[in-house]
Amino acid sequence: MGVIPKAPAPGPDCVIAQGWADYTGQHHAIWRTLFERQSRLLPGRACPEYLAGLRALGVAADGIPDFERLSDILERATGWRIVAVPGLVPDDIFFRHLAARRFPATNWIRRPEQMYYLQEPDVFHDIFGHVPILMDPVFADYLQAYGRGGLKALALGALSKLARLYWYTVEFGLIATGDGLRIYGSGIVSSHGETVYCLDSPVPKRIAFDLMRIMRTAYRIDDFQEGYFVIDDFAQLFDATRPDFTAYYRALEGMDDIRPGDVVAGDCMIDRAGRRIAP
Ligand code: HBI
Ligand code: FE
């Protein structure tokens, strides 16, 4: 079972005490196994910004990190802090945390039989997956802007469209670097199987980042992705999402959804070396 916090019931912001002292040796051992497995795999696969962030957050190697200690390092770098939550929190609360540069992280860790597959976030996904890249100033600003955009999307009834942007960037994004294709998405860097699959498999489609294309694309949560979107750098992500999305949402109402894995006219395909394939 996950850690049952002894702290009082969550407040209206869903924040709880992490309950760090309540983790057992087994909980920390599961973290270390996952950490070692992934950190061996990630050099040459994760983007340099992620790897630099992971290194700078060195306290994360020993066991499940204390969110307060980790937050002190993170806050000095980009002004973000981590708050503990019991699991998925309601959308409006999630976005309010992001807009305030607080990352809500699940406090419990998966059981030993869930080492290869887990559908909901646990502390390994939330901390190992999401926090290192938040050490990058541009990505840090992007995620805060996403939180603000999420609150607007809720008011406009457009969250199903905006959620796709989170999925295909924050969770499953790829980035083209001078050395080749690299991973920045948290759902990938925290997954042993998908870390290799997304870069090496000839099966999934890799498509150049296109904001409207992404917001038209459905996604699956039960298997490896059938398509990934590739950015050039984090500035591209931040700049593309700078405008107000109201007009985009209106335009999307008249467009059909695209199935995950489909390729449509106008897609710019990216090869496994991260280069654009001429149409
Ligand atoms: N809650 N803890 C947590 N983590 C998430 O990633 C999350 C959430 N609540 C809602 C939510 N994500 C979605 O709104 C986003 O994926 C868009
Ligand atoms: Fe996540």
PDB file of all heavy atoms in Angstrom, residues 231-266:
ATOM      1  N   ILE A 231       9.694  19.258 -30.500  1.00  0.00           N
ATOM      2  CA  ILE A 231      10.002  20.697 -30.489  1.00  0.00           C
ATOM      3  C   ILE A 231      11.474  20.904 -30.866  1.00  0.00           C
ATOM      4  O   ILE A 231      12.286  19.979 -30.789  1.00  0.00           O
ATOM      5  CB  ILE A 231       9.720  21.342 -29.109  1.00  0.00           C
ATOM      6  CG1 ILE A 231      10.561  20.706 -27.996  1.00  0.00           C
ATOM      7  CG2 ILE A 231       8.229  21.247 -28.768  1.00  0.00           C
ATOM      8  CD1 ILE A 231      10.496  21.466 -26.662  1.00  0.00           C
ATOM      9  N   ASP A 232      11.800  22.160 -31.260  1.00  0.00           N
ATOM     10  CA  ASP A 232      13.198  22.514 -31.539  1.00  0.00           C
ATOM     11  C   ASP A 232      13.900  22.943 -30.253  1.00  0.00           C
ATOM     12  O   ASP A 232      15.072  22.668 -30.058  1.00  0.00           O
ATOM     13  CB  ASP A 232      13.274  23.656 -32.559  1.00  0.00           C
ATOM     14  CG  ASP A 232      12.713  23.242 -33.908  1.00  0.00           C
ATOM     15  OD1 ASP A 232      12.938  22.078 -34.306  1.00  0.00           O
ATOM     16  OD2 ASP A 232      12.042  24.066 -34.557  1.00  0.00           O
ATOM     17  N   ASP A 233      13.175  23.674 -29.421  1.00  0.00           N
ATOM     18  CA  ASP A 233      13.729  24.106 -28.134  1.00  0.00           C
ATOM     19  C   ASP A 233      12.557  24.589 -27.271  1.00  0.00           C
ATOM     20  O   ASP A 233      11.425  24.705 -27.743  1.00  0.00           O
ATOM     21  CB  ASP A 233      14.792  25.200 -28.304  1.00  0.00           C
ATOM     22  CG  ASP A 233      14.307  26.367 -29.155  1.00  0.00           C
ATOM     23  OD1 ASP A 233      13.123  26.739 -29.046  1.00  0.00           O
ATOM     24  OD2 ASP A 233      15.104  26.901 -29.939  1.00  0.00           O
ATOM     25  N   PHE A 234      12.840  24.859 -26.007  1.00  0.00           N
ATOM     26  CA  PHE A 234      11.760  25.242 -25.096  1.00  0.00           C
ATOM     27  C   PHE A 234      11.214  26.628 -25.408  1.00  0.00           C
ATOM     28  O   PHE A 234      10.061  26.925 -25.109  1.00  0.00           O
ATOM     29  CB  PHE A 234      12.214  25.129 -23.637  1.00  0.00           C
ATOM     30  CG  PHE A 234      12.508  23.703 -23.247  1.00  0.00           C
ATOM     31  CD1 PHE A 234      13.742  23.358 -22.728  1.00  0.00           C
ATOM     32  CD2 PHE A 234      11.558  22.715 -23.422  1.00  0.00           C
ATOM     33  CE1 PHE A 234      14.025  22.035 -22.383  1.00  0.00           C
ATOM     34  CE2 PHE A 234      11.825  21.397 -23.094  1.00  0.00           C
ATOM     35  CZ  PHE A 234      13.057  21.047 -22.568  1.00  0.00           C
ATOM     36  N   ALA A 235      12.033  27.479 -26.026  1.00  0.00           N
ATOM     37  CA  ALA A 235      11.546  28.808 -26.403  1.00  0.00           C
ATOM     38  C   ALA A 235      10.415  28.685 -27.432  1.00  0.00           C
ATOM     39  O   ALA A 235       9.444  29.439 -27.394  1.00  0.00           O
ATOM     40  CB  ALA A 235      12.685  29.657 -26.950  1.00  0.00           C
ATOM     41  N   GLN A 236      10.522  27.713 -28.328  1.00  0.00           N
ATOM     42  CA  GLN A 236       9.457  27.488 -29.320  1.00  0.00           C
ATOM     43  C   GLN A 236       8.135  27.170 -28.616  1.00  0.00           C
ATOM     44  O   GLN A 236       7.076  27.684 -28.970  1.00  0.00           O
ATOM     45  CB  GLN A 236       9.847  26.326 -30.242  1.00  0.00           C
ATOM     46  CG  GLN A 236       8.774  25.999 -31.277  1.00  0.00           C
ATOM     47  CD  GLN A 236       9.041  24.687 -32.011  1.00  0.00           C
ATOM     48  OE1 GLN A 236       9.752  23.815 -31.504  1.00  0.00           O
ATOM     49  NE2 GLN A 236       8.470  24.552 -33.198  1.00  0.00           N
ATOM     50  N   LEU A 237       8.232  26.342 -27.591  1.00  0.00           N
ATOM     51  CA  LEU A 237       7.055  25.946 -26.816  1.00  0.00           C
ATOM     52  C   LEU A 237       6.451  27.158 -26.113  1.00  0.00           C
ATOM     53  O   LEU A 237       5.244  27.398 -26.162  1.00  0.00           O
ATOM     54  CB  LEU A 237       7.535  24.927 -25.780  1.00  0.00           C
ATOM     55  CG  LEU A 237       6.593  23.917 -25.200  1.00  0.00           C
ATOM     56  CD1 LEU A 237       5.846  23.190 -26.284  1.00  0.00           C
ATOM     57  CD2 LEU A 237       7.412  22.922 -24.362  1.00  0.00           C
ATOM     58  N   PHE A 238       7.318  27.918 -25.476  1.00  0.00           N
ATOM     59  CA  PHE A 238       6.846  29.069 -24.710  1.00  0.00           C
ATOM     60  C   PHE A 238       6.243  30.109 -25.645  1.00  0.00           C
ATOM     61  O   PHE A 238       5.160  30.651 -25.380  1.00  0.00           O
ATOM     62  CB  PHE A 238       8.008  29.658 -23.899  1.00  0.00           C
ATOM     63  CG  PHE A 238       7.574  30.753 -22.974  1.00  0.00           C
ATOM     64  CD1 PHE A 238       6.856  30.460 -21.823  1.00  0.00           C
ATOM     65  CD2 PHE A 238       7.872  32.070 -23.262  1.00  0.00           C
ATOM     66  CE1 PHE A 238       6.431  31.473 -20.972  1.00  0.00           C
ATOM     67  CE2 PHE A 238       7.455  33.087 -22.413  1.00  0.00           C
ATOM     68  CZ  PHE A 238       6.735  32.788 -21.272  1.00  0.00           C
ATOM     69  N   ASP A 239       6.914  30.379 -26.762  1.00  0.00           N
ATOM     70  CA  ASP A 239       6.431  31.414 -27.687  1.00  0.00           C
ATOM     71  C   ASP A 239       5.113  31.022 -28.349  1.00  0.00           C
ATOM     72  O   ASP A 239       4.225  31.849 -28.516  1.00  0.00           O
ATOM     73  CB  ASP A 239       7.488  31.692 -28.764  1.00  0.00           C
ATOM     74  CG  ASP A 239       8.707  32.394 -28.189  1.00  0.00           C
ATOM     75  OD1 ASP A 239       8.599  32.951 -27.076  1.00  0.00           O
ATOM     76  OD2 ASP A 239       9.779  32.358 -28.835  1.00  0.00           O
ATOM     77  N   ALA A 240       4.984  29.742 -28.719  1.00  0.00           N
ATOM     78  CA  ALA A 240       3.764  29.302 -29.405  1.00  0.00           C
ATOM     79  C   ALA A 240       2.549  29.400 -28.486  1.00  0.00           C
ATOM     80  O   ALA A 240       1.418  29.538 -28.956  1.00  0.00           O
ATOM     81  CB  ALA A 240       3.925  27.858 -29.894  1.00  0.00           C
ATOM     82  N   THR A 241       2.785  29.331 -27.188  1.00  0.00           N
ATOM     83  CA  THR A 241       1.647  29.302 -26.262  1.00  0.00           C
ATOM     84  C   THR A 241       1.462  30.650 -25.573  1.00  0.00           C
ATOM     85  O   THR A 241       0.663  30.772 -24.659  1.00  0.00           O
ATOM     86  CB  THR A 241       1.837  28.187 -25.222  1.00  0.00           C
ATOM     87  OG1 THR A 241       3.107  28.343 -24.578  1.00  0.00           O
ATOM     88  CG2 THR A 241       1.793  26.824 -25.888  1.00  0.00           C
ATOM     89  N   ARG A 242       2.197  31.670 -26.034  1.00  0.00           N
ATOM     90  CA  ARG A 242       2.087  33.004 -25.447  1.00  0.00           C
ATOM     91  C   ARG A 242       0.735  33.678 -25.744  1.00  0.00           C
ATOM     92  O   ARG A 242       0.154  34.301 -24.862  1.00  0.00           O
ATOM     93  CB  ARG A 242       3.245  33.878 -25.959  1.00  0.00           C
ATOM     94  CG  ARG A 242       3.565  35.060 -25.090  1.00  0.00           C
ATOM     95  CD  ARG A 242       4.546  35.972 -25.820  1.00  0.00           C
ATOM     96  NE  ARG A 242       5.870  35.397 -25.970  1.00  0.00           N
ATOM     97  CZ  ARG A 242       6.865  35.607 -25.099  1.00  0.00           C
ATOM     98  NH1 ARG A 242       6.665  36.331 -24.044  1.00  0.00           N
ATOM     99  NH2 ARG A 242       8.045  35.074 -25.314  1.00  0.00           N
ATOM    100  N   PRO A 243       0.203  33.580 -26.974  1.00  0.00           N
ATOM    101  CA  PRO A 243      -1.060  34.290 -27.273  1.00  0.00           C
ATOM    102  C   PRO A 243      -2.239  33.762 -26.463  1.00  0.00           C
ATOM    103  O   PRO A 243      -2.193  32.661 -25.930  1.00  0.00           O
ATOM    104  CB  PRO A 243      -1.286  34.003 -28.768  1.00  0.00           C
ATOM    105  CG  PRO A 243       0.006  33.519 -29.301  1.00  0.00           C
ATOM    106  CD  PRO A 243       0.716  32.865 -28.165  1.00  0.00           C
ATOM    107  N   ASP A 244      -3.289  34.569 -26.392  1.00  0.00           N
ATOM    108  CA  ASP A 244      -4.537  34.111 -25.791  1.00  0.00           C
ATOM    109  C   ASP A 244      -5.162  33.058 -26.708  1.00  0.00           C
ATOM    110  O   ASP A 244      -5.196  33.219 -27.917  1.00  0.00           O
ATOM    111  CB  ASP A 244      -5.492  35.301 -25.632  1.00  0.00           C
ATOM    112  CG  ASP A 244      -6.764  34.892 -24.927  1.00  0.00           C
ATOM    113  OD1 ASP A 244      -6.772  34.929 -23.687  1.00  0.00           O
ATOM    114  OD2 ASP A 244      -7.736  34.510 -25.611  1.00  0.00           O
ATOM    115  N   PHE A 245      -5.649  31.960 -26.120  1.00  0.00           N
ATOM    116  CA  PHE A 245      -6.114  30.820 -26.919  1.00  0.00           C
ATOM    117  C   PHE A 245      -7.594  30.912 -27.316  1.00  0.00           C
ATOM    118  O   PHE A 245      -8.102  30.008 -27.973  1.00  0.00           O
ATOM    119  CB  PHE A 245      -5.908  29.511 -26.135  1.00  0.00           C
ATOM    120  CG  PHE A 245      -4.501  28.947 -26.203  1.00  0.00           C
ATOM    121  CD1 PHE A 245      -3.405  29.753 -26.450  1.00  0.00           C
ATOM    122  CD2 PHE A 245      -4.288  27.582 -26.008  1.00  0.00           C
ATOM    123  CE1 PHE A 245      -2.113  29.229 -26.492  1.00  0.00           C
ATOM    124  CE2 PHE A 245      -3.003  27.041 -26.056  1.00  0.00           C
ATOM    125  CZ  PHE A 245      -1.912  27.871 -26.300  1.00  0.00           C
ATOM    126  N   THR A 246      -8.285  31.970 -26.906  1.00  0.00           N
ATOM    127  CA  THR A 246      -9.734  32.020 -27.158  1.00  0.00           C
ATOM    128  C   THR A 246     -10.072  31.799 -28.630  1.00  0.00           C
ATOM    129  O   THR A 246     -10.941  30.981 -28.955  1.00  0.00           O
ATOM    130  CB  THR A 246     -10.306  33.376 -26.675  1.00  0.00           C
ATOM    131  OG1 THR A 246      -9.884  33.586 -25.324  1.00  0.00           O
ATOM    132  CG2 THR A 246     -11.824  33.374 -26.749  1.00  0.00           C
ATOM    133  N   ALA A 247      -9.357  32.477 -29.521  1.00  0.00           N
ATOM    134  CA  ALA A 247      -9.642  32.336 -30.957  1.00  0.00           C
ATOM    135  C   ALA A 247      -9.268  30.935 -31.445  1.00  0.00           C
ATOM    136  O   ALA A 247      -9.931  30.376 -32.330  1.00  0.00           O
ATOM    137  CB  ALA A 247      -8.878  33.391 -31.760  1.00  0.00           C
ATOM    138  N   TYR A 248      -8.220  30.351 -30.868  1.00  0.00           N
ATOM    139  CA  TYR A 248      -7.826  28.986 -31.250  1.00  0.00           C
ATOM    140  C   TYR A 248      -8.942  28.007 -30.904  1.00  0.00           C
ATOM    141  O   TYR A 248      -9.285  27.127 -31.702  1.00  0.00           O
ATOM    142  CB  TYR A 248      -6.548  28.557 -30.521  1.00  0.00           C
ATOM    143  CG  TYR A 248      -5.313  29.371 -30.813  1.00  0.00           C
ATOM    144  CD1 TYR A 248      -4.217  29.304 -29.963  1.00  0.00           C
ATOM    145  CD2 TYR A 248      -5.217  30.177 -31.943  1.00  0.00           C
ATOM    146  CE1 TYR A 248      -3.054  30.029 -30.206  1.00  0.00           C
ATOM    147  CE2 TYR A 248      -4.059  30.914 -32.192  1.00  0.00           C
ATOM    148  CZ  TYR A 248      -2.993  30.829 -31.318  1.00  0.00           C
ATOM    149  OH  TYR A 248      -1.848  31.539 -31.561  1.00  0.00           O
ATOM    150  N   TYR A 249      -9.493  28.154 -29.700  1.00  0.00           N
ATOM    151  CA  TYR A 249     -10.557  27.230 -29.282  1.00  0.00           C
ATOM    152  C   TYR A 249     -11.761  27.361 -30.207  1.00  0.00           C
ATOM    153  O   TYR A 249     -12.385  26.364 -30.560  1.00  0.00           O
ATOM    154  CB  TYR A 249     -10.971  27.500 -27.830  1.00  0.00           C
ATOM    155  CG  TYR A 249      -9.880  27.250 -26.811  1.00  0.00           C
ATOM    156  CD1 TYR A 249      -9.737  28.082 -25.699  1.00  0.00           C
ATOM    157  CD2 TYR A 249      -8.996  26.178 -26.938  1.00  0.00           C
ATOM    158  CE1 TYR A 249      -8.748  27.866 -24.756  1.00  0.00           C
ATOM    159  CE2 TYR A 249      -7.994  25.959 -26.003  1.00  0.00           C
ATOM    160  CZ  TYR A 249      -7.880  26.812 -24.910  1.00  0.00           C
ATOM    161  OH  TYR A 249      -6.894  26.596 -23.981  1.00  0.00           O
ATOM    162  N   ARG A 250     -12.066  28.581 -30.602  1.00  0.00           N
ATOM    163  CA  ARG A 250     -13.209  28.788 -31.497  1.00  0.00           C
ATOM    164  C   ARG A 250     -12.947  28.087 -32.833  1.00  0.00           C
ATOM    165  O   ARG A 250     -13.803  27.389 -33.368  1.00  0.00           O
ATOM    166  CB  ARG A 250     -13.469  30.287 -31.700  1.00  0.00           C
ATOM    167  CG  ARG A 250     -14.853  30.573 -32.241  1.00  0.00           C
ATOM    168  CD  ARG A 250     -15.257  32.038 -32.044  1.00  0.00           C
ATOM    169  NE  ARG A 250     -15.148  32.474 -30.665  1.00  0.00           N
ATOM    170  CZ  ARG A 250     -14.514  33.582 -30.267  1.00  0.00           C
ATOM    171  NH1 ARG A 250     -13.919  34.371 -31.147  1.00  0.00           N
ATOM    172  NH2 ARG A 250     -14.474  33.920 -28.996  1.00  0.00           N
ATOM    173  N   ALA A 251     -11.739  28.247 -33.362  1.00  0.00           N
ATOM    174  CA  ALA A 251     -11.400  27.604 -34.635  1.00  0.00           C
ATOM    175  C   ALA A 251     -11.454  26.082 -34.520  1.00  0.00           C
ATOM    176  O   ALA A 251     -11.896  25.392 -35.444  1.00  0.00           O
ATOM    177  CB  ALA A 251     -10.011  28.057 -35.087  1.00  0.00           C
ATOM    178  N   LEU A 252     -11.050  25.558 -33.371  1.00  0.00           N
ATOM    179  CA  LEU A 252     -11.019  24.100 -33.192  1.00  0.00           C
ATOM    180  C   LEU A 252     -12.422  23.490 -33.199  1.00  0.00           C
ATOM    181  O   LEU A 252     -12.584  22.326 -33.549  1.00  0.00           O
ATOM    182  CB  LEU A 252     -10.318  23.746 -31.875  1.00  0.00           C
ATOM    183  CG  LEU A 252      -8.791  23.889 -31.884  1.00  0.00           C
ATOM    184  CD1 LEU A 252      -8.241  23.916 -30.463  1.00  0.00           C
ATOM    185  CD2 LEU A 252      -8.145  22.761 -32.684  1.00  0.00           C
ATOM    186  N   GLU A 253     -13.423  24.292 -32.826  1.00  0.00           N
ATOM    187  CA  GLU A 253     -14.791  23.766 -32.820  1.00  0.00           C
ATOM    188  C   GLU A 253     -15.215  23.304 -34.213  1.00  0.00           C
ATOM    189  O   GLU A 253     -16.038  22.409 -34.344  1.00  0.00           O
ATOM    190  CB  GLU A 253     -15.776  24.831 -32.309  1.00  0.00           C
ATOM    191  CG  GLU A 253     -15.735  24.988 -30.804  1.00  0.00           C
ATOM    192  CD  GLU A 253     -16.475  26.230 -30.321  1.00  0.00           C
ATOM    193  OE1 GLU A 253     -17.327  26.760 -31.083  1.00  0.00           O
ATOM    194  OE2 GLU A 253     -16.185  26.675 -29.191  1.00  0.00           O
ATOM    195  N   GLY A 254     -14.649  23.920 -35.253  1.00  0.00           N
ATOM    196  CA  GLY A 254     -15.009  23.549 -36.612  1.00  0.00           C
ATOM    197  C   GLY A 254     -14.105  22.494 -37.224  1.00  0.00           C
ATOM    198  O   GLY A 254     -14.202  22.217 -38.421  1.00  0.00           O
ATOM    199  N   MET A 255     -13.185  21.939 -36.431  1.00  0.00           N
ATOM    200  CA  MET A 255     -12.233  20.970 -36.991  1.00  0.00           C
ATOM    201  C   MET A 255     -12.454  19.596 -36.386  1.00  0.00           C
ATOM    202  O   MET A 255     -12.799  19.467 -35.226  1.00  0.00           O
ATOM    203  CB  MET A 255     -10.790  21.407 -36.668  1.00  0.00           C
ATOM    204  CG  MET A 255     -10.403  22.732 -37.284  1.00  0.00           C
ATOM    205  SD  MET A 255      -8.679  23.105 -36.862  1.00  0.00           S
ATOM    206  CE  MET A 255      -8.596  24.824 -37.284  1.00  0.00           C
ATOM    207  N   ASP A 256     -12.205  18.574 -37.209  1.00  0.00           N
ATOM    208  CA  ASP A 256     -12.322  17.202 -36.707  1.00  0.00           C
ATOM    209  C   ASP A 256     -11.128  16.852 -35.832  1.00  0.00           C
ATOM    210  O   ASP A 256     -10.022  17.339 -36.052  1.00  0.00           O
ATOM    211  CB  ASP A 256     -12.373  16.216 -37.882  1.00  0.00           C
ATOM    212  CG  ASP A 256     -13.690  16.297 -38.632  1.00  0.00           C
ATOM    213  OD1 ASP A 256     -14.714  16.617 -37.993  1.00  0.00           O
ATOM    214  OD2 ASP A 256     -13.678  16.068 -39.859  1.00  0.00           O
ATOM    215  N   ASP A 257     -11.365  15.960 -34.886  1.00  0.00           N
ATOM    216  CA  ASP A 257     -10.257  15.409 -34.114  1.00  0.00           C
ATOM    217  C   ASP A 257      -9.416  14.495 -35.002  1.00  0.00           C
ATOM    218  O   ASP A 257      -9.903  13.953 -35.999  1.00  0.00           O
ATOM    219  CB  ASP A 257     -10.793  14.592 -32.936  1.00  0.00           C
ATOM    220  CG  ASP A 257     -11.126  15.482 -31.745  1.00  0.00           C
ATOM    221  OD1 ASP A 257     -10.910  16.712 -31.829  1.00  0.00           O
ATOM    222  OD2 ASP A 257     -11.603  14.943 -30.739  1.00  0.00           O
ATOM    223  N   ILE A 258      -8.173  14.312 -34.632  1.00  0.00           N
ATOM    224  CA  ILE A 258      -7.273  13.390 -35.329  1.00  0.00           C
ATOM    225  C   ILE A 258      -6.993  12.230 -34.381  1.00  0.00           C
ATOM    226  O   ILE A 258      -6.751  12.443 -33.182  1.00  0.00           O
ATOM    227  CB  ILE A 258      -5.965  14.109 -35.722  1.00  0.00           C
ATOM    228  CG1 ILE A 258      -6.277  15.304 -36.640  1.00  0.00           C
ATOM    229  CG2 ILE A 258      -4.996  13.130 -36.397  1.00  0.00           C
ATOM    230  CD1 ILE A 258      -5.097  16.239 -36.846  1.00  0.00           C
ATOM    231  N   ARG A 259      -7.024  11.008 -34.894  1.00  0.00           N
ATOM    232  CA  ARG A 259      -6.734   9.848 -34.040  1.00  0.00           C
ATOM    233  C   ARG A 259      -5.249   9.778 -33.724  1.00  0.00           C
ATOM    234  O   ARG A 259      -4.422  10.123 -34.581  1.00  0.00           O
ATOM    235  CB  ARG A 259      -7.169   8.552 -34.743  1.00  0.00           C
ATOM    236  CG  ARG A 259      -8.665   8.308 -34.706  1.00  0.00           C
ATOM    237  CD  ARG A 259      -8.954   6.958 -35.304  1.00  0.00           C
ATOM    238  NE  ARG A 259      -8.312   6.852 -36.625  1.00  0.00           N
ATOM    239  CZ  ARG A 259      -8.976   6.675 -37.771  1.00  0.00           C
ATOM    240  NH1 ARG A 259     -10.282   6.553 -37.770  1.00  0.00           N
ATOM    241  NH2 ARG A 259      -8.320   6.585 -38.913  1.00  0.00           N
ATOM    242  N   PRO A 260      -4.909   9.287 -32.529  1.00  0.00           N
ATOM    243  CA  PRO A 260      -3.483   9.158 -32.225  1.00  0.00           C
ATOM    244  C   PRO A 260      -2.826   8.241 -33.251  1.00  0.00           C
ATOM    245  O   PRO A 260      -3.411   7.227 -33.632  1.00  0.00           O
ATOM    246  CB  PRO A 260      -3.455   8.525 -30.827  1.00  0.00           C
ATOM    247  CG  PRO A 260      -4.839   8.089 -30.506  1.00  0.00           C
ATOM    248  CD  PRO A 260      -5.778   8.781 -31.442  1.00  0.00           C
ATOM    249  N   GLY A 261      -1.663   8.581 -33.727  1.00  0.00           N
ATOM    250  CA  GLY A 261      -0.974   7.715 -34.686  1.00  0.00           C
ATOM    251  C   GLY A 261      -1.293   8.027 -36.131  1.00  0.00           C
ATOM    252  O   GLY A 261      -0.590   7.554 -37.020  1.00  0.00           O
ATOM    253  N   ASP A 262      -2.344   8.813 -36.394  1.00  0.00           N
ATOM    254  CA  ASP A 262      -2.635   9.180 -37.778  1.00  0.00           C
ATOM    255  C   ASP A 262      -1.689  10.289 -38.238  1.00  0.00           C
ATOM    256  O   ASP A 262      -1.225  11.101 -37.438  1.00  0.00           O
ATOM    257  CB  ASP A 262      -4.080   9.674 -37.916  1.00  0.00           C
ATOM    258  CG  ASP A 262      -5.074   8.524 -38.006  1.00  0.00           C
ATOM    259  OD1 ASP A 262      -4.641   7.356 -37.901  1.00  0.00           O
ATOM    260  OD2 ASP A 262      -6.283   8.790 -38.163  1.00  0.00           O
ATOM    261  N   VAL A 263      -1.425  10.300 -39.536  1.00  0.00           N
ATOM    262  CA  VAL A 263      -0.657  11.380 -40.151  1.00  0.00           C
ATOM    263  C   VAL A 263      -1.610  12.118 -41.078  1.00  0.00           C
ATOM    264  O   VAL A 263      -2.387  11.492 -41.787  1.00  0.00           O
ATOM    265  CB  VAL A 263       0.556  10.816 -40.932  1.00  0.00           C
ATOM    266  CG1 VAL A 263       1.234  11.893 -41.762  1.00  0.00           C
ATOM    267  CG2 VAL A 263       1.562  10.192 -39.957  1.00  0.00           C
ATOM    268  N   VAL A 264      -1.581  13.453 -41.046  1.00  0.00           N
ATOM    269  CA  VAL A 264      -2.503  14.225 -41.880  1.00  0.00           C
ATOM    270  C   VAL A 264      -1.715  15.211 -42.754  1.00  0.00           C
ATOM    271  O   VAL A 264      -0.528  15.472 -42.499  1.00  0.00           O
ATOM    272  CB  VAL A 264      -3.543  14.990 -41.025  1.00  0.00           C
ATOM    273  CG1 VAL A 264      -4.392  14.016 -40.219  1.00  0.00           C
ATOM    274  CG2 VAL A 264      -2.883  16.009 -40.113  1.00  0.00           C
ATOM    275  N   ALA A 265      -2.389  15.741 -43.770  1.00  0.00           N
ATOM    276  CA  ALA A 265      -1.760  16.725 -44.661  1.00  0.00           C
ATOM    277  C   ALA A 265      -1.199  17.871 -43.831  1.00  0.00           C
ATOM    278  O   ALA A 265      -1.853  18.335 -42.900  1.00  0.00           O
ATOM    279  CB  ALA A 265      -2.790  17.246 -45.664  1.00  0.00           C
ATOM    280  N   GLY A 266       0.001  18.299 -44.165  1.00  0.00           N
ATOM    281  CA  GLY A 266       0.617  19.402 -43.433  1.00  0.00           C
ATOM    282  C   GLY A 266       1.563  18.949 -42.331  1.00  0.00           C
ATOM    283  O   GLY A 266       2.346  19.748 -41.824  1.00  0.00           O
TER     284      GLY A 266
END
